[in-house]
Every structure is written in C-alpha cells, then in structure tokens.
C-alpha cells in the first residue's frame, strides 16, 4: 500500500462518524383525503390541525401535512 493511499484511508475513516451522524430522520407526512374543494373541508381541516397540535405535532417542525 502506498503512503498516499494509507493517508486517504485514515482520513476517510476519521471523518466517517461525523458524516454518518449528520443524517436527519425523515419527517412523517400526515394526509387528509377528501372529495370536493378545500373550502368545503375548512372546518374539518382546522379541527385536524388542532388535533395534531394537541398531540404534540407542530406543522413544519416535526410533521408535514398534506391535504388532497
């Protein structure tokens, strides 16, 4: 093994724990599926979001919501 290869291997092994720990877990996505326009489901979506907040979920921080 050449000296340059050995140094590259050592540098990669030293930086591996830093890059492995940097990955963030995927944010869960909770959806609301309904037929019709979103205006018809306004009160339901408000209650849906309120229920998420009561459960400890903050939209955009630890959960993403999707209304279809």
């Amino acid at each position: 093994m050449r000296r340059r290869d050995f140094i590259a291997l050592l540098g990669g092994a030293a930086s591996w724990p830093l890059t492995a720990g940097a990955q963030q877990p995927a944010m869960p996505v909770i959806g609301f599926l309904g037929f019709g326009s979103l205006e018809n489901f306004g009160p339901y979506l408000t209650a849906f979001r309120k229920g998420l907040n009561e459960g400890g979920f903050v939209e955009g921080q630890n959960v993403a919501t999707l209304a279809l």
Side-chain angles (χ1 to χ4, degrees):
M1 181 180 279
R2 295 185 325 197
R3 181 176 154 180
R4 187 174 297 175
D5 293 336
F6 180 76
I7 292 172
L9 178 69
L10 241 126
S15 67
W16 176 73
L18 298 175
T19 57
Q23 293 180 354
Q24 298 290 328
M27 184 181 299
V29 177
I30 299 176
F32 180 87
L33 181 63
F35 294 104
S37 64
L38 287 178
E39 292 85 27
N40 295 340
F41 290 100
Y44 299 110
L45 288 173
T46 303
F48 178 70
R49 288 185 173 114
K50 182 180 177 191
L52 286 175
N53 287 334
E54 290 173 359
F57 294 102
V58 179
E59 202 171 348
Q61 290 183 1
N62 59 359
V63 69
T65 59
L66 177 66
L68 296 176

